[in-house]
Structure formats: C-alpha cells, structure tokens
Amino acid sequence: MIDLSLAEIADITGGRPHDIPDPSVRITGPVVIDSRQVEAGSLFAAFDGEHVDGHDYAVRAVEAGAAAVLAARPVGVPAVVVPDVEKALGALARAVVQRLGTDVVALTGSAGKTSTKDLIAQVLQAHAPTVWTPGSLNNEIGLPLTALKATAETRHLVLEMGARGIGHIAYLTGLTPPRIGLVLNVGTAHIGEFGGREQIAQAKGELVEALPAEAEGGVAVLNADDPLVRAMSGRTKARTVLFGEAEDADVRATEVRMAPGGQPAFTLHTPTGCSDVTLRLYGEHHVSNALAAAAVAHVLGMSVSEIATALSGAGTLSRWRMEVTERADGVTIVNDAYNANPESMRAALRALAAMGGSARANGGRTWAVLGPMAELGDASLAEHDAVGRLAVRLNVSKLVAVGGREASWLQLGAYNEGSWGEESVVVSDAQAAVDLLRSELRPGDVVLVKASRSIGLERVALALLEREGEVADR
C-alpha cells in the first residue's frame, strides 16, 4: 500500500480519528483483517464476522505493531471509526488505485477464474511488477485487500471478480475500475442462485460495461468460443480482443495436442506472430485459460515469444487446483478439491482420462473421487447424473462418489451409462473414501479428488498424501 497518514485515511473513508494522538502518523505496512498477519505500520480492519468480531482483537493488533485500526466503534487504541468497515475498505482501495495509476486487469467467468488469474500473474510478472488476487479472494473484502497491496512500483494489478448475483461485479468494478476486462466463459456455476445461464451472462457482462471507451484505452478480452461471452462485445464501448480456437480469434491456438502425462501443448498465434507453448499444467481446458492470459499480455505489449516462454514456465500458484503429486510408491494424487461446478468437473475428468493413458501403460488405474456440486438448484440431479455418465465414457477405472443424495446421483448416472456395478461405489464421507482407497490403491494408479468447496473433500487427498494438517481459507 502507498504511504498514507491516518488523517488522509479518515478523509478518504469518511471516518473520524479516535484515540489517535498524532493524525500525521502514516500507514507503511499492509492492510490486514487477521490480527495474526499484522506487521509494523499495518492498518488492521476490524470486521464483525459470523463467528469472530475483529474489534475484540484491536488491542492485540496494535500491540503487534499496527499503527491503527479501521473500526466501526471505538476500541481503546488508535482507530479511524467509520460507519461501515467494508465500504470504508473499498473506498480506501479505490483512492489508492486512482493515485497509483496502475493498469487494472479484471477477470471473471463461471469456471477457471483462479487458474487463469494465476497464469496472467506469472506472465505479466515476467514483464513488470505485478500484484494479483491470492487464491480466490475475489469478493467485496478480498478484492480491496488485494488492491491495497499495490505500491508505486506496481505496473499491473490483476483482480479476480466473483459474483453470486446481478450487480455484484458492477460493485467490484466501482471499487477498482479496470482498463482491461476479461470474461472467460458463462457456465452453470451458481445457476441455482442466478436462475439460468442468461442471468449469469448478464452478471458477468457487467465487467465489460464498466470498461472505459476504446479511445480511453479500454479493452474487453472475450472468449470467441463461448457464444454468450462473444455477444458481450455489444455491451461495451471498449475495444474487443477475442481469444480461443475460432479462426477469427485475435489470439488463438492451433495444433493442440496432449503429452502422455496430460499436459497440453499448442501453437500460439497473436497479431504479432506465433510461437510454440507447452504447459506444465494438466488438462486440455488450460489451453483456453492460457489463451486468455496470452490475450491480456498481448494487449499490454508483450511479444509472442515472451508470452510463450512465460506460459511454458508457469505453474500452479493456488492450492488444490489440479495439484498433482506423485507418492513414493508411484500413486499419483490429483487434488482439485478447492471447488467444483459442472464445467470444471468435466474438465477435471478429461484431464484424469488423459493422465490415465500413461497410467494404464504401466498397469495403473484411474480413480475419480467425486463429491457434490453445490448451488445448482433444479439442475442438480441432471448435472450430477451427467458427470457420472461422463466418467464411464472416459473409461475411468473406478468412480467413488462421496456424500449423500448427490453422490447417489453420480453413481446412478455411471451405472445407467455403462452398468458398472462394482466399478462404482457410494461412500458416506471423506474418511470412508480414505479407508477404501488405502486398501485398494496400487503403484501406477492416478486418483482425482474433486467436489464443491463446502464439502471439504480435500481431506481425502491430504490424507492420502499424509498432509492432513493443511488448511485453506474457506
């Protein structure tokens, strides 16, 4: 964060200084919402959450080195007291980004946001100092916290934007107005909350509506292969850059192929030339993600050779997204359990199938350990059934469906598609899945673990890797 005094912060947020002997004291450290993350010169934002009230930790935060607290009430230590801490945090982020003048790249989509954001971050970081959203902190609190990490040296600010309803992305773009807006796809994630894909498209398109006009440097980067995304070109005054495998895409891929281990390779084409790319990531779905990152990098002036080199060297930054680990005994665990929706579930199964070609050659099998996909509303039964059927079509060796009603739908789809019988099984919970796998896995097997975040199915992968102590932000 750039250097601001407490008086300036009070002015920006509409707050009032309280218990502050010297309003000229400056914030020189990060803005945090967890008192355990306080550094010297920090600003601690006290949120009254569902389980914990940050105001109770205000004294601890100042004792740990925080210069002050952003609070909704006096806390007995130096504080800027505001009517609404969340809105004050957003106002502070907006002011900082405007002062810095950094290029803001915002992206959204139903699937692949975090993986694509990680690719963009790594490619742009090779070009100039870049700050990006950690993990999936893409909401009204996570986004301003990320923006406030930017400094005077930051050239690119890459912000993932999530939405659970109409107006959410419009609000986020108001906090950190983007110059470049990327829309990846319109799928069925949260379809139960939105009501349909058309409503999801309406919400995602709020990003391109917020962009400045082409004459002011605005650029909308859109997926040419998704009709609902391509149509968003009519909702923006910004210049449109298309990416995808369509022939008219400005940034596109040809000669897409898969390595035996499941990593994709392709020839990258941009308006300035072409170059070969071999990704370190697993699954053909990452080709589209890589093209999106390449399109953003092209807009920001990187050459095709620079982009291809950076993409080929990029790895996974965020945990539990197609995180591949081979155990000492030759069993490979694919931990993709951070979240799931129908599109990402299908992509993960196809990646497992690609990895299975190499496994089968060595006598191994493929295992799909799948849990429920949340927030699908009336489409839930059909979507779970379809995923179970796809596992059969892709010749996955064994489906382990974890949970209750949705797990039975997964297995029923598999059974009806291929009459698998004992080749698919429903287990009650994560521990039951672990017990089953520990008794049956053998060297050369590949195990995919995936479900919606609320299910906590990462426990299966971590147990199989004997890393049960790991945790992630929920």
Side-chain angles (χ1 to χ4, degrees), residues 35-332:
S35 61
R36 295 167 297 182
Q37 297 174 348
V38 165
E39 301 174 13
S42 292
L43 177 67
F44 174 62
F47 280 88
D48 187 359
E50 183 177 349
H51 303 293
V52 177
D53 186 349
H55 295 81
D56 296 337
Y57 295 84
V59 173
R60 182 183 302 180
V62 172
E63 289 175 347
V69 179
L70 188 65
R73 60 180 183 268
V75 287
V77 292
V80 175
V81 178
V82 295
D84 186 307
V85 175
E86 180 183 304
K87 290 182 179 179
L89 191 68
L92 190 58
R94 181 167 55 248
V96 167
V97 170
Q98 288 174 344
R99 292 188 187 194
L100 289 175
T102 186
D103 263 324
V104 176
V105 178
L107 71 150
T108 193
S110 295
K113 291 188 296 295
T114 299
S115 296
T116 304
K117 175 264 301 177
D118 288 350
L119 283 174
I120 294 171
Q122 291 173 85
V123 172
L124 295 185
Q125 182 66 19
H127 181 244
T130 302
V131 169
W132 60 90
T133 303
S136 295
L137 298 178
N138 57 21
N139 61 12
E140 294 84 351
I141 297 174
L143 184 138
L145 285 175
T146 300
L148 289 168
K149 293 180 180 179
T151 68
E153 289 72 40
T154 303
R155 284 275 304 280
H156 309 305
L157 180 58
V158 182
L159 299 173
E160 179 181 331
M161 294 185 174
R164 292 179 178 272
I166 302 296
H168 288 187
I169 289 177
Y171 174 78
L172 294 177
T173 58
L175 301 184
T176 54
R179 183 175 77 84
I180 300 170
L182 163 64
V183 184
L184 295 170
N185 44 56
V186 173
T188 54
H190 312 303
I191 196 169
E193 296 185 359
F194 280 98
R197 291 187 70 224
E198 292 74 16
Q199 287 81 6
I200 295 173
Q202 180 63 34
K204 301 300 183 186
E206 291 170 5
L207 175 54
V208 301
E209 291 176 343
L211 297 172
E214 179 174 1
E216 299 169 350
V219 183
V221 180
L222 302 177
N223 187 347
D225 302 327
D226 186 322
L228 288 175
V229 176
R230 182 188 276 256
M232 292 178 190
S233 61
R235 295 171 59 183
T236 184
K237 297 178 181 179
R239 174 167 68 97
T240 297
V241 172
L242 297 176
F243 70 90
E245 295 185 49
E247 290 188 3
D248 65 338
D250 302 288
V251 176
R252 62 191 181 96
T254 61
E255 301 177 55
V256 177
R257 52 208 182 271
M258 298 294 290
Q263 297 106 326
F266 59 94
T267 300
L268 170 66
H269 298 262
T270 76
T272 61
C274 61
S275 189
D276 290 333
V277 174
T278 300
L279 296 175
R280 293 168 52 198
L281 306 176
Y282 294 84
E284 189 173 354
H285 60 290
H286 281 301
V287 173
S288 181
N289 297 341
L291 290 174
V296 170
H298 166 72
V299 169
L300 288 169
M302 292 182 66
S303 70
V304 66
S305 60
E306 289 176 318
I307 297 169
T309 298
L311 283 174
S312 296
T316 301
L317 299 182
S318 302
R319 288 186 299 173
W320 308 348
R321 283 105 166 156
M322 291 303 291
E323 184 177 279
V324 179
T325 306
E326 183 175 349
R327 301 193 322 194
D329 63 356
V331 172
T332 298

